[in-house]
Amino acid sequence: MPDIPHGAAPHRIVVVGGGAAGLELATRLGDSLGKRGQAVVTLVDRDRGHLWKPLLHEVAAGSMDVDEHELDYLAQAHWHHFRYRYGEMVGLDRAAKTVMLGPTQDDEGRAITQGSALPYDTLVVAIGSTTNDFGTPGVRDHAIALETPQQAVRFNRRLVNACIRAHAQEGPVQPGQLHVVIIGAGATGTELAAELHHTARAVVAYGLDRIDAEKDIRITLVEAAPRILPGLPERISEAAKGLLEGLGVTVSTGVPVTRVTAHGVELKDGRVIDSQLVVWAAGVKGPEVLRDLAGLETSRSNQLVVLPTLQTTRDADIFAIGDCAWCVMPGSDRPVPPRAQAAHQQASHMLAQIRRRLAGEPLKPFVYRDFGSLVSLGEYSTVGSLMGFLAGRSMWVEGLFARLMYRSLYKMHERALHGTVKTALSSLARTLTRRTEPRVKLH
């Protein structure tokens, strides 16, 4: 790649969104172009830290301490030669090529940063997705989504508090008091159901002997589609359902939710499930800021429509990757699925695209490779299929090997952010620490 001519301003690359795709891209751009002064790389995010989204169900269940795995953006930027701007994209001026950032405040309402305009030469939008409640009444008031670490921690605290409250009260445990209803049986909902079965009982085992875990703690998984894990192969769905039902989890499919109240969940067939602990994990859509964002084209699910090069259809200087991108591969009528492996692949492709762009070379189309699907069912099992084996056929995996493969996905993400040595040391440190702490988070 040619060096920047003397006196010329470095190319300004702005990545909005510090999720799996955005943070991997900013880190790798900083380690290459930023370190050599060939570009100024800036990451924008409304949060201070990053947690790999597939881990949120473990945080919600209490089997993972978010503080041990969350990455600090400011430190990552310092170590990897990019800049971090704390703020949220609230608009875009394509003519002036600036990203509009809104002001930020602390928990006491005091200003931290003022609204500002951040200039760019190349903009990459990677702000992920938000929960789609499909307008269902009561969801926003009475259910907790699992979009952010803060929401996952909030649910975990609500669960632990409910157990302590039930133990301390004078009367017996009331119907629905310790009943968890998970709405949406995609990967997040299904994995959470299995993880909660283990951790809720572990919480009770720490001296809350007035609670009968087998009788008082119930978990129900609700899915409007005919089967759980509707986006994955049917064999994975059936294996996961069998394991969950073997644990005593109630699985309800084919009936949508019509309302969530403070006391439970109402289904379309007239049933009412008593519950004071409701998680909404059904459906995703693009964040609201993408709606009519400077005239960029969006899909019906409010995601930015991109070309095979990952450029938005109406502006060649703006790219979109990750869950917020509506990317349809040639020959397909469905977009690339919102999975961690897709985000990782798009970040890697985007790194090469920017290098070609700076070198004046033509861009190449993104090609998504599906390496299979793995679903972690907590302490009990992991099931899935790996693609590419036996002349292109999938290979069914389960048990310990599948669990190791599932964990390796997270290690790949950590390696992309920290390198091999730091990832190994961090993993060892967490293993040693867990031997001296409770098996579940209790506060």
Side-chain angles (χ1 to χ4, degrees):
M1 182 180 298
D3 292 331
I4 300 295
H6 180 70
H11 193 84
R12 299 167 298 184
I13 304 169
V14 174
V15 181
V16 181
L23 184 57
E24 283 191 23
L25 176 60
T27 297
R28 297 174 69 181
L29 284 171
D31 285 340
S32 54
L33 303 181
K35 185 176 182 179
R36 294 197 294 264
Q38 294 173 324
V40 175
V41 182
T42 303
L43 175 70
V44 176
D45 200 279
R46 64 182 181 181
D47 291 321
R48 303 287 185 86
H50 162 81
L51 181 74
W52 199 50
K53 201 167 184 179
L55 298 178
L56 289 179
H57 75 280
E58 295 187 41
V59 176
S63 53
M64 175 177 288
D65 189 338
V66 66
D67 293 333
E68 293 182 4
H69 293 262
E70 194 170 33
L71 175 151
D72 188 281
Y73 288 131
L74 200 57
Q76 184 76 358
H78 173 72
W79 292 329
H80 294 277
H81 314 284
F82 65 89
R83 301 174 179 177
Y84 163 62
R85 289 286 297 271
Y86 176 49
E88 181 178 9
M89 179 175 70
V90 296
L92 180 65
D93 188 334
R94 289 167 52 197
K97 300 186 73 170
T98 56
V99 178
M100 314 308 296
L101 303 181
T104 60
Q105 297 178 329
D106 62 17
D107 294 338
E108 286 75 40
R110 294 177 296 181
I112 301 175
T113 62
Q114 304 297 324
S116 61
L118 180 63
Y120 67 86
D121 296 307
T122 297
L123 173 63
V124 183
V125 181
I127 57 176
S129 59
T130 61
T131 299
N132 190 351
D133 62 14
F134 305 103
T136 306
V139 172
R140 294 187 180 184
D141 295 328
H142 305 295
I144 295 180
L146 294 184
E147 299 171 1
T148 66
Q150 293 80 8
Q151 290 172 322
V153 169
R154 179 184 167 203
F155 174 79
N156 177 251
R157 288 176 177 169
R158 183 177 289 187
L159 172 67
V160 174
N161 288 342
C163 290
I164 295 175
R165 184 182 301 114
H167 173 74
Q169 68 191 21
E170 293 184 2
V173 177
Q174 300 300 310
Q177 188 173 358
L178 296 180
H179 188 169
V180 181
V181 176
I182 303 167
I183 303 169
T188 297
T190 301
E191 291 176 332
L192 177 62
E195 198 77 28
L196 278 174
H197 181 274
H198 168 71
T199 58
R201 283 158 176 76
V203 170
V204 171
Y206 282 95
L208 305 184
D209 46 24
R210 292 190 61 195
I211 299 174
D212 183 338
E214 297 304 318
K215 182 181 71 174
D216 297 330
I217 298 177
R218 296 176 54 202
I219 301 171
T220 298
L221 182 61
V222 179
E223 171 57 51
R227 60 183 176 89
I228 68 172
L229 300 170
L232 301 185
E234 188 170 354
R235 185 177 181 182
I236 299 177
S237 172
E238 290 301 316
K241 180 182 179 183
L243 189 142
L244 290 175
E245 290 181 335
L247 295 175
V249 175
T250 302
V251 178
S252 173
T253 58
V255 182
V257 171
T258 57
R259 181 182 297 273
V260 179
T261 70
H263 305 289
V265 174
E266 300 175 6
L267 304 182
K268 190 174 182 179
D269 61 4
R271 284 182 293 158
V272 177
I273 305 173
D274 293 330
S275 174
Q276 297 180 24
L277 298 163
V278 180
V279 176
W280 185 273
V284 298
K285 63 180 180 179
E288 192 61 29
V289 69
L290 298 182
R291 192 178 304 279
D292 194 29
L293 180 65
L296 296 177
E297 182 182 4
T298 56
S299 67
R300 289 197 303 173
S301 54
N302 205 36
Q303 296 162 290
L304 291 176
V305 180
V306 298
L307 302 170
T309 57
L310 301 181
Q311 292 167 296
T312 54
T313 56
R314 296 173 183 171
D315 196 317
D317 296 326
I318 302 176
F319 297 75
I321 60 175
D323 291 3
C324 71
W326 180 270
C327 180
V328 179
M329 294 287 93
S332 174
D333 58 353
R334 302 182 65 181
V336 173
R339 299 180 188 170
Q341 61 174 306
H344 176 73
Q345 291 179 39
Q346 289 180 335
S348 297
H349 185 77
M350 194 65 234
L351 175 67
Q353 294 289 69
I354 291 179
R355 287 173 172 169
R356 294 187 189 101
R357 183 175 170 86
L358 267 60
E361 300 173 357
L363 304 184
K364 294 185 178 181
F366 170 69
V367 178
Y368 173 62
R369 294 186 61 192
D370 188 349
F371 290 102
S373 305
L374 294 168
V375 178
S376 171
L377 300 174
E379 296 288 324
Y380 307 106
S381 183
T382 298
V383 297
S385 61
L386 301 180
M387 306 295 290
F389 292 87
L390 304 177
R393 297 182 180 180
S394 64
M395 181 179 75
W396 171 260
V397 293
E398 60 182 326
L400 177 60
F401 177 71
R403 185 170 180 81
L404 292 174
M405 293 299 297
Y406 183 89
R407 286 296 178 186
S408 72
L409 298 176
Y410 179 41
K411 297 307 174 187
M412 287 175 57
H413 177 63
E414 286 192 299
R415 285 184 61 194
L417 300 178
H418 306 302
T420 302
V421 174
K422 186 174 180 180
T423 297
L425 292 175
S426 297
S427 299
L428 177 61
R430 287 195 291 261
T431 300
L432 294 175
T433 300
R434 285 190 68 82
R435 294 181 179 273
T436 63
E437 294 181 346
R439 295 174 59 189
V440 293
K441 192 166 178 61
L442 300 172
H443 67 278

